[in-house]
Amino acid sequence: QWARERAEREAAERRRADEERLRIARELHDVLAHSISVINVQAGVGLALLDQDPEQARTALTTIKAAGKEALGEVRQVLDTLRAPGAAPRSPAPGLDRLAELTGQARDAGLAVTVETEGVRTALPPGADLAAFRIVQEALTNVVRHSGSRTARVLLRYAPGALELRVDDDGPATADGMTRGMTGGNGLAGMRERAAALGGTVAAGPRPDGGFRVHARLPLAAATVTGTPPGTPRQPPPGEATREAP
């Protein structure tokens, strides 16, 4: 009995370690895939315009610097949790309150994003807020990397007890995007894992009209109604300075 209980404890510890590795892998993938995609696009713009339009090239370099700084900050936060187990994060995890920032980064990468909201916005539990942000982030990153479309639409639908997310682009998929759409990828797997951890689902695939859609449903605990639409930049108090298709 003692040996059996010890084996069960060891198995439980291995499961916890595996789950933590998967969580860290998802965070690093989502942070790096998004930021490096923006950097790659802007580096191409800068090289193409370096001689003909130096000012536009300068703008591209500024975007690269900002994307790199943000990626380093988020990676450092993930690594800090490894160095100091149990320590509180130095900054809050991202959520839908940063949606405007996310769409701005997509715009810098050449992707025009529109955001629509249905239902009454509710304050999300931290886990659901992070998952929603990362799912939208990964979906937009995949449009930048794997779709010929330069526009995307994000729909947030607040239903009783659940948040639905939908990200659409009009395609067509690039050759890499078509392969990724058939086989899946780390990004799609990560989205599904994030949703499943909350008891939710993610479906992704081509639309009949040739575009691509990511649809997620995240169940929510009791939440508080708020009045600010998601994606609206925070208004500072007086005196405070003002910021896969796979």
Side-chain angles (χ1 to χ4, degrees), residues 53-64:
D53 192 345
E55 279 305 311
Q56 188 63 34
R58 184 187 301 275
T59 300
L61 291 175
T62 301
T63 301
I64 289 172

Side-chain angles (χ1 to χ4, degrees), residues 164-191:
E164 292 187 23
L165 305 168
R166 200 175 72 196
V167 181
D168 288 275
D169 74 88
D170 296 329
T174 61
D176 178 50
M178 288 187 288
T179 301
R180 199 170 180 86
M182 291 184 291
T183 62
N186 290 332
L188 287 176
M191 285 191 279

Side-chain angles (χ1 to χ4, degrees), residues 92-103:
L96 290 180
D97 60 336
R98 288 180 54 186
L99 192 55
E101 178 183 336
L102 184 60
T103 57

Side-chain angles (χ1 to χ4, degrees), residues 12 27 37 46 56 62-63 68 105 115 124 147 149 159 174 187 189 209 220:
E27 286 298 309
S37 294
Q56 188 63 34
T62 301
T63 301
Q105 292 171 351
V115 179
L124 306 180
S147 174
S149 177
T174 61
D209 60 3
L220 306 175

Side-chain angles (χ1 to χ4, degrees), residues 58-127:
R58 184 187 301 275
T59 300
L61 291 175
T62 301
T63 301
I64 289 172
K65 180 179 179 181
K69 180 179 180 181
E70 180 183 2
L72 285 173
E74 294 204 42
V75 169
R76 187 176 295 114
Q77 182 177 336
V78 173
L79 296 180
D80 281 347
T81 64
L82 295 179
R83 294 191 180 100
R90 295 183 181 179
S91 58
L96 290 180
D97 60 336
R98 288 180 54 186
L99 192 55
E101 178 183 336
L102 184 60
T103 57
Q105 292 171 351
R107 182 174 60 251
D108 291 339
L111 182 68
V113 183
T114 58
V115 179
E116 297 181 11
T117 303
E118 294 182 0
V120 179
R121 184 190 179 189
T122 55
L124 306 180

